[in-house]
Amino acid sequence: MKIEQFNFAGHKAIVRVDFNVPLDENGKVTDDTRIRGALPTLKKVLADGGSLIMMSHMGKPKGKVKAELSLGQIVKNVSDALGVEVKFAPDCAHADDLAAALKPGEALLLENLRFYPEEEGKPVGVEKGTPEYDEAKKAMKQSQKEFAAKLASYADVYVNDAFGTAHRKHASTAVIADSFDQDHKMLGFLMEKEVTAINNVLKNAQHPFTAIIGGSKVSSKLGVIKNLLDKVDNLIIGGGMGYTFIKAQGGHIGKSLHEDELMPEALNVIAAAKEKGVNLSLSIATVCGKEFSNDTERCVFPIYNIPDEWEGMDASEESIAEWKKIILDSKTILWNGPVGVFEFENFAKGTGEIAKTVAQATQENGCYSLVGGGDSVAAVNKFGLADKVSYVSTGGGAMLEAIEGKVLPGVAAIEG
């Protein structure tokens, strides 16, 4: 069922949202982006004349009640954003009366789901790899089903609008869907947009298709890179992970970040790209620092010849010029990960230039661009370019797993 086709009048809807928002030391919300992101779905339920029950996690309490991770702290923020007074259930597993009493147009927020270990479905206090763990895991699986069924009992419609947790088979993101038939479970508007954006690059991409993959480690993105080799025309690899590829080819990378054990895999990627006709583009030269700090001495060296006492910290102007040509000639762009130590102002130029060029390709050339991953999102936000790219993904881990070709449990539980 598509959410836009469903009329919530007379229904109670339980909606999995991602209200894992940052709080300051006084429990005040410092960034309400995730709350605002869920509003189209939440307001649709209320505007139709339905009753709204919201559930979310916050932080990693690991099955224990922690006051500093209580969703009670954000009730006012959610109320203000929704424009209705939101009631609060201080125990997500014992909210029967509050849920039953909800009238059309009213809203209820449940306490942090992860105060219960059944949400994540992981045994607590038992060592992995022991017979006791295996037994505890079996028992926990049954408990997770019961916890999910309890949550489901509060409502007659289930909506999942939490893309950031779509790659987890948790009680509230996947298991709960078993309690609803196909006409009474659906993706929320935010989830629909995320899934559509990923499909636009993985299944419906216009060519030339360019993927820009950055970040610090090859190990965290290897599956993504391998899956993309069958789909892209150009693969730009930047950031810390690039030095593993350079060293694998005999380059001298000084003190630059690298993973020796991944060098054979890097060579395999280079060979596969050549075989498949993919243009694999690495840095030509790099801005290096003597120390890992913003104010260290800087110097540019050819990527294959960095002196011992220097480490690569940012893409050079020469590298960026090459990458700009590729990006501006593209019809589809996927960008995940910075091409330098973006948190240091003096080594953020390369990532900023990538952000501006992706925006330029989108605005001037009609390219479809999907940006995801913490630092990539931070870059487009920092330069005020979030509305100049086609889509900014809210779920880093979920997006990466989808691009890697993995099935997302939170989506599969609804779409089959």
Side-chain angles (χ1 to χ4, degrees):
M1 173 61 70
K2 293 281 188 189
I3 187 170
E4 54 267 32
Q5 296 162 352
F6 192 85
N7 186 351
F8 289 93
H11 290 284
K12 280 193 170 75
I14 188 159
V15 184
R16 177 53 158 103
V17 288
D18 183 2
F19 285 173
N20 184 26
V21 294
L23 305 174
D24 64 18
E25 62 276 8
N26 300 312
K28 302 292 182 197
V29 176
T30 57
D31 182 354
D32 70 347
T33 302
R34 287 176 172 167
I35 295 172
R36 285 185 284 109
L39 288 179
T41 293
L42 305 179
K43 287 187 171 180
K44 155 84 171 151
V45 174
L46 296 175
D48 280 359
S51 307
L52 174 66
I53 301 161
M54 296 165 281
M55 56 178 175
S56 177
H57 75 284
M58 179 177 277
K60 296 179 179 178
K62 297 185 178 174
K64 294 178 180 168
V65 176
K66 294 189 175 177
E68 68 273 19
L69 294 176
S70 171
L71 288 171
Q73 300 169 99
I74 69 166
V75 171
K76 185 177 186 308
N77 300 81
V78 180
S79 297
D80 291 346
L82 262 184
V84 301
E85 186 186 342
V86 173
K87 303 172 196 298
F88 183 63
D91 185 337
C92 63
H94 296 89
D96 311 67
D97 292 344
L98 284 165
L102 274 185
K103 295 183 177 67
E106 291 186 339
L108 172 69
L109 176 64
L110 305 183
E111 181 56 285
N112 193 339
L113 295 161
R114 289 189 186 170
F115 284 177
Y116 282 84
E118 291 85 354
E119 163 63 2
E120 295 182 272
K122 293 177 186 171
V124 176
V126 193
E127 198 178 329
K128 261 188 177 180
T130 62
E132 291 80 12
Y133 183 84
D134 294 338
E135 283 303 311
K137 199 172 178 185
K138 262 189 224 168
M140 177 55 80
K141 199 166 184 184
Q142 183 55 37
S143 298
Q144 188 183 45
K145 280 183 186 174
E146 290 165 8
F147 180 65
K150 181 65 172 179
L151 296 171
S153 72
Y154 301 149
D156 58 357
V157 184
Y158 168 62
V159 185
N160 190 347
D161 209 26
F163 184 73
T165 57
H167 57 314
R168 308 290 187 204
K169 194 172 182 178
H170 291 172
S172 68
T173 62
V175 185
I176 187 175
D178 292 341
S179 296
F180 298 87
D181 64 37
Q182 212 57 49
D183 291 334
H184 292 84
K185 59 183 173 184
M186 62 206 73
L187 301 179
F189 288 119
L190 184 61
M191 278 278 273
E192 277 191 347
K193 286 196 319 194
E194 293 276 359
V195 172
T196 299
I198 287 165
N199 285 340
N200 279 343
V201 297
L202 290 187
K203 296 177 183 175
N204 312 315
Q206 285 189 290
H207 294 269
F209 176 11
T210 298
I212 308 154
I213 305 296
S216 57
K217 293 183 174 181
V218 178
S219 52
S220 63
K221 309 268 176 87
L222 186 61
V224 169
I225 290 168
K226 284 181 173 179
N227 195 41
L228 286 171
L229 285 174
D230 288 320
K231 297 174 170 58
V232 300
D233 304 289
N234 306 293
L235 178 60
I236 294 170
I237 294 181
M241 69 169 62
Y243 302 107
T244 298
F245 285 82
I246 300 302
K247 188 176 181 185
Q249 297 175 87
H252 198 97
I253 60 167
K255 296 191 296 182
S256 304
L257 186 68
H258 64 285
E259 295 169 284
D260 283 342
E261 68 281 10
L262 268 297
M263 289 200 296
E265 288 284 9
L267 291 174
N268 289 340
V269 167
I270 292 166
K274 191 173 182 181
E275 185 190 322
K276 294 171 192 285
V278 174
N279 171 33
L280 176 59
S281 182
L282 297 163
S283 262
I284 298 165
T286 188
V287 181
C288 295
K290 276 244 170 131
E291 305 295 335
F292 190 77
S293 75
N294 183 55
D295 301 318
T296 188
E297 187 183 341
R298 286 181 290 167
C299 192
V300 178
F301 294 103
I303 194 79
Y304 285 91
N305 197 16
I306 301 171
D308 288 344
E309 67 275 20
W310 294 82
E311 67 179 300
M313 302 273 275
D314 195 13
S316 67
E317 287 189 14
E318 193 181 358
S319 301
I320 291 296
E322 182 65 28
W323 291 342
K324 276 184 177 178
K325 285 183 209 161
I326 296 169
I327 293 167
L328 291 174
D329 192 41
S330 302
K331 284 297 173 194
T332 304
I333 298 168
L334 167 67
W335 179 26
N336 177 271
V339 298
V341 186
F342 178 65
E343 58 268 33
F344 294 155
E345 194 63 37
N346 287 332
F347 297 99
K349 186 177 179 185
T351 301
E353 288 299 313
I354 292 284
K356 289 172 189 169
T357 309
V358 170
Q360 185 185 346
T362 310
Q363 295 296 308
E364 295 177 13
N365 303 346
C367 172
Y368 184 87
S369 53
L370 169 59
V371 178
D375 285 320
S376 315
V377 174
V380 294
N381 286 332
K382 177 177 178 177
F383 295 103
L385 300 170
D387 61 345
K388 300 287 191 289
V389 298
S390 303
Y391 195 74
V392 179
S393 177
T394 58
M399 188 187 102
L400 279 180
E401 290 204 10
I403 293 165
E404 199 173 328
K406 292 181 178 177
V407 172
L408 301 181
V411 177
I414 287 169
E415 293 190 336

